[in-house]
Amino acid sequence: MLSNRSRYALRAMVHLAGLPGGGPATIGEIAEAAAAPRKFLEAILLDLRRRHLLVSKRGRTGGYALAAPADRISFADVIRALEGPLALAPCASRTAFGPCETCPDLDTCPLRPVLQDGRDAVAAVFETRTLLQAAAKFSPIDPVGDKAPT
């Protein structure tokens, strides 16, 4: 299940993707757009900055902005940055593979193929959905930065 932390992060990132140039926006603006508690969001944004998904600038014209174009940041990038691998078990992970504690043999494990299929299905969705796609569908700002017609 996706944590509140990841849901707030995704909302914040989609909001930034809808802004001209991917931001910047202040924490207050992002918290309001993401419907997130400000203090909780501050910690999330710092983690995303440490993972190189966001950049920040201090001062009156500062705030947070996307570190890459919105069409190059996937939902999987954000989720992995905060939650870790998409797989339900380490033996099914492509980014953090490892044997499970309770598995006597990876090659004969009846669970591993099913867990790998689950990982592949989740990855197929999250890796192909970008922030730009989500912002284009739900943002009141078009990619040029003009207000969308009402």
Side-chain angles (χ1 to χ4, degrees):
M1 181 183 313
L2 200 60
S3 70
N4 285 342
R5 184 174 163 79
S6 288
R7 285 192 295 273
Y8 287 138
L10 286 165
R11 286 188 201 130
M13 297 289 280
V14 168
H15 171 70
L16 289 171
L19 298 175
T26 66
I27 290 177
E29 293 166 345
I30 299 168
E32 184 177 335
R38 183 185 169 122
K39 280 290 188 192
F40 189 49
L41 187 63
E42 285 178 14
I44 295 168
L45 297 178
L46 283 173
D47 283 345
L48 292 172
R49 190 187 70 172
R50 285 185 198 112
R51 303 281 189 184
H52 308 288
L53 292 173
L54 290 177
V55 293
S56 64
K57 179 181 169 190
R58 292 180 183 244
R60 244 182 37 187
T61 61
Y64 282 93
L66 299 177
D71 65 340
R72 291 189 29 225
I73 301 174
S74 71
F75 273 52
D77 294 330
V78 178
I79 294 167
R80 283 185 180 120
L82 298 175
E83 307 274 343
L86 298 177
L88 294 173
C91 69
S93 178
R94 289 187 185 202
T95 61
F97 176 80
C100 296
E101 292 177 16
T102 60
C103 185
D105 182 17
L106 279 174
D107 295 327
T108 61
C109 178
L111 304 179
R112 188 168 181 234
V114 177
L115 294 173
Q116 288 172 322
D117 288 347
R119 182 238 20 245
D120 291 345
V122 168
V125 173
F126 289 143
E127 288 176 349
T128 60
R129 299 303 200 296
T130 68
L131 298 178
L132 182 64
Q133 290 169 326
K137 186 169 184 175
F138 295 105
S139 178
I141 300 174
D142 71 23
V144 178
D146 298 325
K147 292 280 182 189
T150 54

